[in-house]
Amino acid sequence: MTTTIAILAPGAMGSAVARRLSEHGARVLTSLKGRSEATLKRAADAGMVGTDDDAIADADIILSIVPPGEAVALAERLAGLIVRREKKPVVVDCNAVNVDTVLRIEEIIGSAQAPFVDAGIIGFPPQPGGKSPAFYMSGEHAKDVAVLKQLGLDLRIVEGPVGAASALKMSYAGIVKGLAGIGSAMVLAATKAGAADALRDELALSQPAILARLEVALPDMIPKAYRWVAEMREISGFLGPDHPASQIYEGFARWFEHLAEDAKGEAADAALMKAFAASVQKKV
C-alpha cells in the first residue's frame, strides 16, 4: 500500500523532503491555501498534492516542518483537524524548538489522542541524487515512522523520551550556528576597522579549518538570517533563563535580526561578508 504523508509546509526543506518521499513511492499532501505563486510552483515541482484539511487529517504521517515560531500554532491547528478522526495520523514535529516547546506541542497533539514523535533535522534540504539530512527521532512512537527510512530519509532513533531529539538539535545548532554568528560579527568588525586581510591571513595560518568554514558559512547565512532569529531564542530557552550562556543566544537572535534587516535594505553588511569570503577563495 502507498504511504500517504502530509507535509506542512512546502518551504525549502519541506518541498525537498517531499520530492525525496515522492521519488520513493509515497503520496505527499500539503496545504496550499493562501500560498504564493512561487510556493505553488515549488510544491508542484516536488510532486506535492495540494488538498483540503480533511485529506491532511487522513494521512498516515504528518510532518510539521515550519519556522520554529509557527510550530505551536500549527500543532493547535492539527489537533483541531484530527481530534474527531477514528484513525489517527502519527504527528512528527521536525522543527527547531527547545525541549519545553516540544513538550507543549506533544501535549497539544496528545489532546487529540494522536501518536506524537519528536524530531530534529540536521543537514541541508535533500537534492536530487544527493543524501538526505539526518532525521533524529525520539519518543515512544519514533519507531512507528520507520517507513520513512524505506522512503529515502536518513532516519536515526535517539533513545529517550520526547525532547531528546529536540535537545540534540538545539545543542548542534547552538554550536554550528553560534560559530556562524561569532564569525560573521568578528569578520564585519575587523573589516570596518581595516583589518579584514590581516584577520584572513592569520586564520589561514593558525585556524585554517575555521577560515574554510567561514568561506562557505558567511554567504550561506545571509538569506537564512531571518529564519535563525526564532531558533536562537529557542536555544536560549533550551539553556534556561538562569543559565549564564542563555543571553549569548538572545544576542545572536538580535544579531541575526540585524542581518535580516540589512539584507532587505542596502545589504551593506552582507556585501562586506561576501567580499571577505571571496577574498579567501582568491587567496587559495
Side-chain angles (χ1 to χ4, degrees), residues 201-214:
D201 294 346
E202 178 54 39
L203 287 171
L205 287 171
S206 62
Q207 303 291 339
I210 292 177
L211 184 62
R213 182 163 192 87
L214 290 177

Side-chain angles (χ1 to χ4, degrees), residues 6 8 31 52-58 62 74-89 109 112:
L8 303 172
S31 175
D52 58 21
D53 286 350
D54 284 341
I56 296 289
D58 285 336
I62 299 177
L74 178 55
E76 291 170 342
R77 178 188 164 200
L78 291 175
L81 295 181
I82 62 182
V83 65
R84 286 182 290 274
R85 286 293 190 281
E86 184 175 344
K87 176 182 173 290
K88 308 288 185 178
I109 298 301

Side-chain angles (χ1 to χ4, degrees), residues 99 102 118 136-139 158-170:
V99 175
V102 83
D118 173 27
Y136 287 94
M137 307 269 185
S138 70
V158 180
E159 294 300 335
V162 165
S166 287
L168 170 62
K169 172 65 176 179
M170 291 288 94

Side-chain angles (χ1 to χ4, degrees), residues 2-5 18 20-28 47 148 151:
T2 300
T3 301
T4 299
I5 300 170
R20 177 60 53 88
L21 295 170
S22 296
E23 289 171 348
H24 285 75
R27 179 169 178 258
V28 184
L148 295 174
L151 293 171

